[in-house]
Amino acid sequence: MAAAAALGGLGLGLLRARLRLAAAAAATSAALCRTGHRTPPLRGGVAAAAALPSAGRSYGSQAKEEEELRVRYLDDEHKGIVVLGLNRSHAKNALSKNLVKMISKAVDALKSDKKVRTVVFRSEVPGIFCAGADLKERAKMHSSEVSSFVSRARATINELANLPVPTIAAIDGTALGGGLELALACDIRVAASSAKMGLVETKLAIIPGAGGTQRLPRTIGVSLAKELIFSARIVDGEEAKSIGLISHVVEQNEAGDAAYRRALALAREFLPQGPVAMRVAKLAINQGMEVDLVTGLAIEEACYAQTIPTKDRIEGLLAFKEKRPPRYKGE
């Protein structure tokens, strides 16, 4: 009887594992279809490496200015990098209904643009990244409007997190509440040592509503995230680096854009890599972190399979053989 029960338990375990794998494969296939790639049979392997670009100092760009959000497509050696700049100086870049709408519109356009290789999120206002929600606007809202706004803000931040290309937050000033939640939605965060960061706008608003209670623990650990949220503590760039909240900390310069310049340098390191490989690598990491290792490996296998039939993979192998920089086209 005990043996039969054990066998039954083993069979149930295998069935559950198969169901997890099937669900993971289906989710990965759906996500890959959204990026415009078909899902061939699962295979394994490692993508070809690409050469690094030459150094350069040009920051020239063709700017498209919006009232509260600037969207810039950089050129020359920074071609492929898009900068989203918060530009609401009179309100310390606080997230109003209009600004959230504009961010959502910009992100929606970027996610289907195959020429975009990396997105840098920054502030155009010296000394501030984002002060969080616009509490003056919120005070005039009906309670039903507040719920709707927070849902819209959360959805917009999720859209930013789900962009298929790498995203970098350049934090050159204070990032509070929704401002830090915006930064947490980016893949990588760079901050000036003087920058101040915390998940609350005021000590009366201790419950982040746009994903902070979920993304912060996944970034710095559950216990420390609880401590920061419960205490409403604000940390500077140095402490943020020590607890893993940011990846890089830099001394602020006279122009007040040291984090932005470091973010640009980091983004340039991504440019020579295969666009398709970069997209599926991000997808594999994001989905894999939410499941067990076996399912995560199946997701990785499905994602790698997307690179096999692409022209980019063939170009990467050819460039490696000919000892030259690859000329990727994102296909």
Side-chain angles (χ1 to χ4, degrees):
M1 294 291 291
L7 288 173
L10 178 61
L12 182 59
L14 290 172
L15 177 60
R16 287 174 175 169
R18 288 174 180 172
L19 288 174
R20 286 199 305 270
L21 288 171
T28 303
S29 177
L32 288 167
C33 286
R34 287 195 295 271
T35 66
H37 301 297
R38 298 178 60 189
T39 307
L42 300 180
R43 300 176 187 174
V46 180
L52 293 174
S54 58
R57 297 182 179 177
S58 172
Y59 291 87
S61 64
Q62 184 175 358
K64 177 185 178 182
E65 292 193 8
E66 304 264 7
E67 182 182 355
E68 297 182 341
L69 183 72
R70 292 180 179 178
V71 182
R72 293 188 293 154
Y73 290 75
L74 305 190
D75 50 29
D76 298 328
E77 65 266 42
H78 295 94
K79 188 174 183 180
I81 300 173
V82 177
V83 179
L84 299 183
L86 297 172
N87 187 41
R88 197 168 183 246
S89 60
H90 66 282
K92 297 182 178 179
N93 289 338
L95 297 172
S96 64
K97 290 189 289 186
N98 183 58
L99 181 55
V100 168
K101 180 180 179 181
M102 295 177 74
I103 294 172
S104 178
K105 181 180 178 181
V107 170
D108 188 60
L110 291 173
K111 68 184 179 183
S112 58
D113 189 342
K114 297 298 179 63
K115 294 181 180 180
V116 177
R117 304 290 299 281
T118 299
V119 175
V120 176
F121 208 98
R122 68 166 301 196
S123 168
E124 302 283 348
V125 181
I128 187 76
F129 178 75
C130 175
D134 188 332
L135 298 182
K136 291 183 179 179
E137 180 184 72
R138 184 175 293 187
K140 299 176 183 178
M141 294 182 187
H142 187 271
S143 57
S144 60
E145 290 182 280
V146 173
S147 178
S148 177
F149 169 74
V150 172
S151 294
R152 179 66 184 272
R154 185 186 303 112
T156 297
I157 290 175
N158 283 337
E159 290 169 4
L160 174 62
N162 291 326
L163 273 175
V165 297
T167 54
I168 306 173
I171 308 171
D172 273 308
T174 304
L176 299 178
L180 184 56
E181 288 175 311
L182 273 175
L184 284 168
C186 293
D187 300 315
I188 301 166
R189 286 162 295 285
V190 180
S193 57
S194 59
K196 305 296 183 182
M197 287 160 270
L199 264 181
V200 295
E201 294 93 345
T202 72
K203 293 189 177 181
L204 297 177
I206 63 171
I207 303 178
T213 61
Q214 302 306 303
R215 290 193 173 92
L216 187 62
R218 286 168 166 80
T219 303
I220 66 174
V222 174
S223 181
L224 190 50
K226 287 178 179 178
E227 178 183 331
L228 293 184
I229 293 174
F230 294 167
S231 66
R233 197 164 92 234
I234 295 174
V235 299
D236 62 19
E238 294 290 351
E239 184 177 357
K241 175 68 167 62
S242 70
I243 64 177
L245 180 56
I246 62 173
S247 301
H248 303 274
V249 60
V250 293
E251 289 294 328
Q252 189 56 279
N253 57 25
E254 291 185 4
D257 64 352
Y260 172 59
R261 288 176 178 269
R262 181 66 181 91
L264 275 185
L266 188 59
R268 286 189 60 198
E269 292 185 37
F270 303 159
L271 292 179
Q273 313 307 325
V276 176
M278 291 280 283
R279 287 169 181 257
V280 296
K282 177 172 177 174
L283 179 63
I285 295 169
N286 285 354
Q287 292 199 352
M289 289 301 294
E290 303 300 324
V291 298
D292 60 87
L293 179 60
V294 172
T295 307
L297 291 172
I299 291 172
E300 178 188 75
E301 192 174 4
C303 286
Y304 175 76
Q306 307 310 304
T307 68
I308 295 174
T310 63
K311 295 179 181 178
D312 275 2
R313 177 176 175 273
I314 297 172
E315 168 60 19
L317 293 171
L318 185 62
F320 179 77
K321 181 180 179 181
E322 297 177 353
K323 298 181 180 180
R324 61 168 174 80
R327 296 182 287 271
Y328 292 120
K329 296 182 179 179
E331 55 187 30

